[in-house]
Amino acid sequence: MTFQPITRSTVSAQIREQLLRMITTGELAPGARVPSERELSEQFEVARTSVREAIQGLLSMGLVERRGNRTWVAEHLPDVAVDSDSSTEVFVHQLFETRRVLEVPVFALAAGRSDDGSREAVRAVVQRFEGALTLCEFRQLDREFHTLIASGCGNPLLVELYSKVLDQLFRSWEIDSILTEQREQHEVDEIIRAAVEGHEVIANAYCAGDPGAMASAVEAHLTEIEDSMLRPTTP
Amino acid sequence: MTFQPITRSTVSAQIREQLLRMITTGELAPGARVPSERELSEQFEVARTSVREAIQGLLSMGLVERRGNRTWVAEHLPDVAVDSDSSTEVFVHQLFETRRVLEVPVFALAAGRSDDGSREAVRAVVQRFEGALTLCEFRQLDREFHTLIASGCGNPLLVELYSKVLDQLFRSWEIDSILTEQREQHEVDEIIRAAVEGHEVIANAYCAGDPGAMASAVEAHLTEIEDSMLRPTTP
DNA sequence: AGTTTCGGTCAGTTGGTCTGACCAGAGTTC
DNA sequence: GAACTCTGGTCAGACCAACTGACCGAAACT
């Protein structure tokens, strides 16, 4: 039998990782102000000294900077190291292959198990996509939408697995780079618009309780988005 | 934006959890001797005092006991608390629904992407199922077999997700109870025999590089095993 | 200009973890 | 049965992580 050597994760390391994730996903956008040390120590339920140590780490990584007596997310984030075996295109292919394997059946199950209450909730979320959204706002709502649909499958094991896929989709700074690098604003708007259209088709299949239509809608949505991500950018 | 309060996991808590998992999965079988504190401190790469504290916890839970100057896994393990919302039957249904969603496409992808080297490796593992196996030996080899096939899909994201499904399948003491409770030994042998047959069909589809045959083989295998688990036991 | 908020620093305390040692008793070997 | 080995039990001392509480200078705000 084998034992895994015990790992030690310090409090400040955990804080740093959580903040790092929020920076790379855009939840803490470049140029935004980082909450104060006192506020973060309350939110994380730790001592201020632990928060300080974590922020020192982010400072040394160049992800945040001090201007005056405030802490800010760096305007220009340094490249965050990615797995050396995985180019961007390979990563996107694998991520979407994984989504097809899991999202199509999970969403189809959810459609077949929808009821009036869950349908109402989905309609409400879809309505929030209307109007102008920043990329960050869109991505937050995007995840909320996918999570809500998936939870309708009623199987906590599948929901947990799917949440890990969403973690991959929504935490990678690489994804944001793919979406925005060298793209003009109108191209980003177009990607968001296409995604929102796909969500409406998915929501309709969900509310119709139609697993077959749902499977088709998700397949089409995933193909559209994957193509958008890999489409060459303007020179 | 929301922050997750930081959690602290002590060294002894991590040790206790790992040992607990090994007890519930049968890797540390009832009645078996627990490795000594000094040996465990070497394996876990921690101080002996941390191992002591962990084992004290298992003692107070009744999972291990002291006889003489040795520590033993309890012969009769107390019920390990399970999620109160999930009866055994519901859990099994959800677990197998999850397996169908993930295992069928992942194994089919793997079959389509097999090569001479990976086929040889699969054949070698299948051969090890021959001969008499204890339930514990069977389960260890079972997991190794499934992991090997899944890794053939070539997508690390899918492999990681599938490993979490296997974690659920192989760590639950509840599964062992399902397999052995009130069953006579010949019934357990029969379940193992049927599972090994299913593995051979799966291995043949893999080595033939046939995704369609693989999908059928996995569906049949999962149905057979799920039925075996839920079949009423001898009165 | 006055007030508030922020980052920086510090002393003292607590709990976790470690190293190294020693002992009594159980288990093994001869 | 004696000798040896191995195990769990206990202990002292040290170090580290994390915390509490306080205070200060400077930036930001009113």
Coordinates of all heavy atoms in Angstrom, one line a residue, chain C residues 1-22:
Chain C
dA1 P -3.4 74.2 5.5 OP1 -3.4 75.6 5.2 OP2 -2.3 73.3 5.6 O5' -4.4 73.9 6.7 C5' -5.4 74.8 7.2 C4' -6.5 74.0 7.9 O4' -7.2 73.3 6.9 C3' -6.0 73.0 8.9 O3' -6.9 73.0 10.0 C2' -6.0 71.7 8.1 C1' -7.2 71.9 7.2 N9 -7.0 71.2 5.9 C8 -5.9 71.2 5.1 N7 -6.1 70.5 4.0 C5 -7.4 70.0 4.0 C6 -8.2 69.2 3.2 N6 -7.7 68.7 2.0 N1 -9.4 69.0 3.6 C2 -9.9 69.5 4.7 N3 -9.2 70.2 5.6 C4 -8.0 70.5 5.2
dG2 P -6.5 72.2 11.3 OP1 -6.8 73.0 12.5 OP2 -5.1 71.6 11.1 O5' -7.5 71.0 11.2 C5' -8.9 71.3 11.1 C4' -9.7 70.0 10.8 O4' -9.4 69.5 9.4 C3' -9.3 68.8 11.7 O3' -10.5 68.2 12.1 C2' -8.5 67.9 10.8 C1' -9.1 68.2 9.4 N9 -8.2 67.9 8.3 C8 -6.9 68.3 8.2 N7 -6.3 67.9 7.1 C5 -7.3 67.2 6.4 C6 -7.3 66.6 5.1 O6 -6.3 66.5 4.3 N1 -8.5 66.0 4.9 C2 -9.6 66.0 5.7 N2 -10.7 65.4 5.2 N3 -9.6 66.6 6.9 C4 -8.4 67.2 7.2
dT3 P -10.5 67.0 13.2 OP1 -11.6 67.2 14.2 OP2 -9.1 66.8 13.7 O5' -10.9 65.8 12.3 C5' -12.0 65.9 11.5 C4' -12.1 64.7 10.5 O4' -11.0 64.8 9.5 C3' -11.9 63.3 11.2 O3' -12.9 62.5 10.9 C2' -10.5 62.8 10.6 C1' -10.5 63.5 9.3 N1 -9.1 63.7 8.7 C2 -8.8 63.2 7.5 O2 -9.7 62.7 6.8 N3 -7.6 63.5 7.0 C4 -6.6 64.1 7.7 O4 -5.4 64.3 7.3 C5 -6.9 64.5 9.1 C7 -5.9 65.2 9.9 C6 -8.2 64.3 9.5
dT4 P -13.1 61.0 11.6 OP1 -14.5 60.8 12.0 OP2 -12.0 60.9 12.6 O5' -12.7 60.1 10.4 C5' -13.3 60.3 9.1 C4' -12.6 59.4 8.1 O4' -11.3 60.0 7.7 C3' -12.4 58.0 8.5 O3' -12.9 57.1 7.5 C2' -10.9 57.8 8.6 C1' -10.4 58.9 7.7 N1 -9.1 59.5 8.0 C2 -8.1 59.5 6.9 O2 -8.3 59.0 5.8 N3 -6.9 60.0 7.3 C4 -6.6 60.5 8.6 O4 -5.5 61.0 8.8 C5 -7.6 60.5 9.6 C7 -7.3 61.0 10.9 C6 -8.8 60.0 9.2
dT5 P -13.0 55.5 7.8 OP1 -14.3 55.1 7.2 OP2 -12.7 55.2 9.2 O5' -11.9 55.0 6.8 C5' -11.8 55.5 5.5 C4' -10.5 55.1 4.9 O4' -9.4 55.9 5.4 C3' -10.1 53.6 5.2 O3' -9.8 53.0 3.9 C2' -8.8 53.7 6.1 C1' -8.3 55.1 5.7 N1 -7.5 55.7 6.7 C2 -6.2 56.2 6.4 O2 -5.7 56.2 5.3 N3 -5.5 56.8 7.5 C4 -6.0 57.0 8.8 O4 -5.3 57.5 9.6 C5 -7.3 56.4 9.0 C7 -7.9 56.5 10.4 C6 -8.0 55.8 8.0
dC6 P -9.6 51.4 3.9 OP1 -10.3 50.9 2.7 OP2 -9.8 50.8 5.3 O5' -8.0 51.2 3.6 C5' -7.4 51.9 2.5 C4' -5.9 52.0 2.7 O4' -5.7 52.9 3.8 C3' -5.3 50.7 3.1 O3' -4.7 50.1 1.9 C2' -4.2 51.1 4.1 C1' -4.4 52.6 4.3 N1 -4.4 53.0 5.8 C2 -3.3 53.7 6.3 O2 -2.3 53.9 5.5 N3 -3.3 54.0 7.6 C4 -4.3 53.7 8.3 N4 -4.3 54.1 9.6 C5 -5.5 53.0 7.8 C6 -5.5 52.7 6.6
dG7 P -4.0 48.7 2.1 OP1 -4.1 48.1 0.8 OP2 -4.7 48.0 3.3 O5' -2.5 49.0 2.5 C5' -1.7 49.7 1.6 C4' -0.4 50.1 2.2 O4' -0.6 50.8 3.5 C3' 0.5 48.9 2.6 O3' 1.8 49.2 2.3 C2' 0.2 48.7 4.1 C1' 0.0 50.1 4.5 N9 -0.8 50.3 5.7 C8 -2.0 49.7 5.9 N7 -2.5 50.0 7.1 C5 -1.5 50.8 7.7 C6 -1.5 51.4 9.0 O6 -2.4 51.4 9.9 N1 -0.3 52.1 9.2 C2 0.7 52.2 8.3 N2 1.8 52.9 8.6 N3 0.7 51.6 7.1 C4 -0.5 50.9 6.9
dG8 P 3.0 48.1 2.6 OP1 4.0 48.3 1.6 OP2 2.3 46.8 2.8 O5' 3.5 48.6 4.0 C5' 4.1 49.8 4.2 C4' 4.8 49.9 5.5 O4' 3.8 50.2 6.5 C3' 5.6 48.6 5.9 O3' 6.9 49.0 6.4 C2' 4.7 48.1 7.1 C1' 4.0 49.3 7.6 N9 2.8 49.1 8.3 C8 1.7 48.4 7.7 N7 0.7 48.3 8.5 C5 1.0 49.0 9.6 C6 0.3 49.2 10.9 O6 -0.8 48.9 11.1 N1 1.1 50.0 11.8 C2 2.4 50.4 11.5 N2 3.0 51.1 12.5 N3 3.1 50.2 10.4 C4 2.3 49.5 9.5
dT9 P 7.9 47.9 6.8 OP1 9.2 48.4 6.4 OP2 7.4 46.6 6.2 O5' 7.8 47.8 8.3 C5' 7.8 49.0 9.1 C4' 7.5 48.7 10.6 O4' 6.1 48.6 10.7 C3' 8.1 47.4 11.1 O3' 9.1 47.7 12.0 C2' 7.0 46.7 11.7 C1' 5.9 47.7 11.8 N1 4.5 47.2 11.8 C2 3.6 47.4 12.8 O2 4.0 48.0 13.8 N3 2.4 46.9 12.7 C4 1.9 46.2 11.6 O4 0.7 45.8 11.5 C5 2.8 46.0 10.5 C7 2.4 45.3 9.3 C6 4.1 46.5 10.6
dC10 P 10.1 46.6 12.7 OP1 11.4 47.2 12.9 OP2 10.0 45.4 11.8 O5' 9.4 46.3 14.0 C5' 9.0 47.4 14.9 C4' 8.1 46.9 16.0 O4' 6.8 46.7 15.5 C3' 8.6 45.5 16.6 O3' 9.2 45.8 17.8 C2' 7.3 44.7 16.7 C1' 6.2 45.7 16.3 N1 5.1 45.0 15.5 C2 3.8 44.9 16.0 O2 3.6 45.4 17.2 N3 2.8 44.4 15.3 C4 3.1 43.9 14.1 N4 2.1 43.4 13.4 C5 4.4 44.0 13.5 C6 5.3 44.6 14.2
dA11 P 9.9 44.6 18.6 OP1 11.1 45.1 19.2 OP2 10.0 43.4 17.7 O5' 8.9 44.2 19.7 C5' 8.2 45.2 20.5 C4' 7.2 44.6 21.4 O4' 6.0 44.3 20.6 C3' 7.6 43.3 22.1 O3' 7.2 43.3 23.4 C2' 7.0 42.2 21.3 C1' 5.7 42.9 20.8 N9 5.2 42.4 19.5 C8 5.9 42.2 18.4 N7 5.2 41.7 17.4 C5 3.9 41.7 17.9 C6 2.7 41.3 17.3 N6 2.6 40.9 16.0 N1 1.6 41.4 18.1 C2 1.7 41.8 19.3 N3 2.8 42.2 20.0 C4 3.9 42.1 19.2
dG12 P 7.7 42.2 24.4 OP1 8.0 42.8 25.8 OP2 8.8 41.4 23.8 O5' 6.5 41.2 24.6 C5' 5.2 41.8 24.9 C4' 4.1 40.7 24.6 O4' 3.9 40.6 23.2 C3' 4.4 39.3 25.2 O3' 3.3 38.9 26.0 C2' 4.5 38.5 23.9 C1' 3.7 39.2 22.9 N9 4.0 39.0 21.5 C8 5.3 39.1 20.9 N7 5.3 38.8 19.7 C5 3.9 38.5 19.4 C6 3.3 38.1 18.2 O6 3.8 37.9 17.1 N1 1.9 37.9 18.3 C2 1.3 38.0 19.5 N2 0.0 37.8 19.5 N3 1.8 38.4 20.7 C4 3.2 38.6 20.5
dT13 P 3.4 37.5 26.7 OP1 2.8 37.6 28.1 OP2 4.8 36.9 26.6 O5' 2.4 36.6 25.9 C5' 1.1 37.2 25.6 C4' 0.3 36.2 24.7 O4' 0.8 36.3 23.3 C3' 0.4 34.8 25.1 O3' -0.9 34.2 25.3 C2' 1.2 34.1 24.0 C1' 0.9 35.0 22.8 N1 1.9 35.0 21.7 C2 1.6 34.7 20.5 O2 0.4 34.4 20.1 N3 2.6 34.7 19.6 C4 3.9 35.0 19.8 O4 4.8 35.0 18.9 C5 4.2 35.3 21.2 C7 5.6 35.6 21.6 C6 3.2 35.3 22.1
dT14 P -1.1 32.8 26.0 OP1 -2.2 32.8 26.9 OP2 0.2 32.3 26.5 O5' -1.5 31.9 24.7 C5' -2.5 32.4 23.8 C4' -2.5 31.5 22.6 O4' -1.5 31.8 21.7 C3' -2.4 30.0 23.0 O3' -3.5 29.3 22.4 C2' -1.1 29.5 22.3 C1' -0.9 30.5 21.2 N1 0.5 30.8 20.9 C2 0.8 30.8 19.5 O2 0.0 30.5 18.6 N3 2.2 31.0 19.3 C4 3.2 31.3 20.2 O4 4.3 31.6 19.8 C5 2.7 31.4 21.6 C7 3.7 31.7 22.6 C6 1.4 31.1 21.8
dG15 P -3.8 27.7 22.9 OP1 -5.2 27.6 23.1 OP2 -2.8 27.3 23.9 O5' -3.5 27.0 21.5 C5' -4.0 27.5 20.3 C4' -3.3 26.8 19.1 O4' -2.0 27.4 19.0 C3' -3.1 25.3 19.2 O3' -3.5 24.8 18.0 C2' -1.6 25.1 19.5 C1' -1.0 26.4 18.8 N9 0.2 26.8 19.4 C8 0.5 27.0 20.7 N7 1.8 27.4 20.9 C5 2.3 27.5 19.6 C6 3.6 27.8 19.2 O6 4.5 28.2 19.9 N1 3.7 27.7 17.8 C2 2.7 27.3 16.9 N2 3.0 27.3 15.6 N3 1.5 27.0 17.3 C4 1.4 27.1 18.7
dG16 P -3.6 23.2 17.8 OP1 -4.8 22.8 17.1 OP2 -3.2 22.5 19.1 O5' -2.4 23.0 16.8 C5' -2.3 23.8 15.6 C4' -1.0 23.5 14.8 O4' 0.1 24.1 15.5 C3' -0.7 22.0 14.7 O3' -0.4 21.8 13.4 C2' 0.4 21.8 15.7 C1' 1.1 23.1 15.7 N9 1.9 23.5 16.9 C8 1.4 23.4 18.2 N7 2.3 23.8 19.0 C5 3.4 24.1 18.3 C6 4.7 24.6 18.7 O6 5.1 24.8 19.8 N1 5.5 24.8 17.6 C2 5.2 24.5 16.3 N2 6.1 24.8 15.4 N3 4.0 24.1 15.9 C4 3.2 23.9 17.0
dT17 P -0.2 20.3 12.8 OP1 -0.5 20.3 11.4 OP2 -0.8 19.4 13.8 O5' 1.4 20.1 13.0 C5' 2.3 21.0 12.3 C4' 3.7 20.8 12.7 O4' 3.9 21.3 14.0 C3' 4.1 19.3 12.7 O3' 4.9 19.0 11.6 C2' 4.8 19.1 14.1 C1' 5.0 20.6 14.5 N1 5.0 20.8 16.0 C2 6.2 21.3 16.6 O2 7.1 21.7 15.9 N3 6.1 21.5 17.9 C4 5.0 21.2 18.7 O4 5.1 21.3 19.9 C5 3.9 20.6 18.1 C7 2.7 20.2 18.9 C6 4.0 20.4 16.7
dC18 P 5.6 17.6 11.4 OP1 5.8 17.4 9.9 OP2 4.8 16.6 12.2 O5' 7.0 17.7 12.1 C5' 7.8 18.9 11.7 C4' 9.0 18.9 12.7 O4' 8.5 19.4 14.0 C3' 9.7 17.6 12.9 O3' 10.9 17.6 12.2 C2' 10.0 17.6 14.4 C1' 9.4 18.9 14.9 N1 8.7 18.8 16.2 C2 9.3 19.2 17.4 O2 10.5 19.6 17.3 N3 8.6 19.0 18.6 C4 7.4 18.5 18.6 N4 6.8 18.4 19.7 C5 6.8 18.1 17.4 C6 7.4 18.2 16.2
dT19 P 11.7 16.2 12.1 OP1 12.5 16.3 10.8 OP2 10.8 15.1 12.3 O5' 12.7 16.3 13.3 C5' 13.5 17.5 13.5 C4' 14.3 17.4 14.8 O4' 13.5 17.6 15.9 C3' 15.0 16.0 14.9 O3' 16.4 16.2 15.1 C2' 14.3 15.3 16.1 C1' 13.8 16.5 16.9 N1 12.5 16.3 17.6 C2 12.5 16.6 19.0 O2 13.5 17.1 19.6 N3 11.3 16.4 19.6 C4 10.1 15.9 19.0 O4 9.1 15.7 19.6 C5 10.3 15.5 17.6 C7 9.1 15.0 16.8 C6 11.4 15.8 17.0
dG20 P 17.4 14.9 15.0 OP1 18.7 15.5 14.5 OP2 16.7 13.9 14.2 O5' 17.6 14.4 16.5 C5' 17.8 15.3 17.5 C4' 17.5 14.7 18.8 O4' 16.1 14.7 19.1 C3' 18.0 13.2 18.9 O3' 19.0 13.1 19.9 C2' 16.7 12.5 19.3 C1' 15.8 13.6 19.9 N9 14.4 13.3 19.8 C8 13.7 12.9 18.7 N7 12.4 12.7 18.9 C5 12.2 13.1 20.2 C6 11.1 13.1 21.0 O6 9.9 12.9 20.7 N1 11.3 13.5 22.3 C2 12.6 13.9 22.8 N2 12.7 14.3 24.0 N3 13.7 13.8 22.0 C4 13.4 13.4 20.8
dA21 P 19.7 11.7 20.1 OP1 21.1 11.9 20.3 OP2 19.2 10.7 19.1 O5' 19.0 11.3 21.5 C5' 18.8 12.3 22.5 C4' 17.9 11.7 23.6 O4' 16.5 11.8 23.1 C3' 18.1 10.3 24.0 O3' 18.7 10.2 25.3 C2' 16.7 9.7 23.9 C1' 15.8 10.8 23.7 N9 14.6 10.5 22.9 C8 14.6 10.2 21.6 N7 13.4 10.0 21.1 C5 12.6 10.1 22.2 C6 11.2 10.0 22.4 N6 10.3 9.7 21.4 N1 10.7 10.3 23.6 C2 11.5 10.6 24.6 N3 12.8 10.7 24.6 C4 13.3 10.5 23.3
dC22 P 19.3 8.8 25.8 OP1 20.4 9.2 26.7 OP2 19.5 7.9 24.7 O5' 18.1 8.3 26.7 C5' 17.4 9.1 27.6 C4' 16.1 8.5 28.0 O4' 15.2 8.6 27.0 C3' 16.2 7.0 28.4 O3' 16.0 6.8 29.7 C2' 15.2 6.3 27.5 C1' 14.3 7.4 27.0 N1 13.7 7.2 25.7 C2 12.3 7.2 25.6 O2 11.6 7.4 26.7 N3 11.7 7.0 24.4 C4 12.4 6.8 23.4 N4 11.8 6.7 22.2 C5 13.8 6.9 23.4 C6 14.4 7.0 24.6

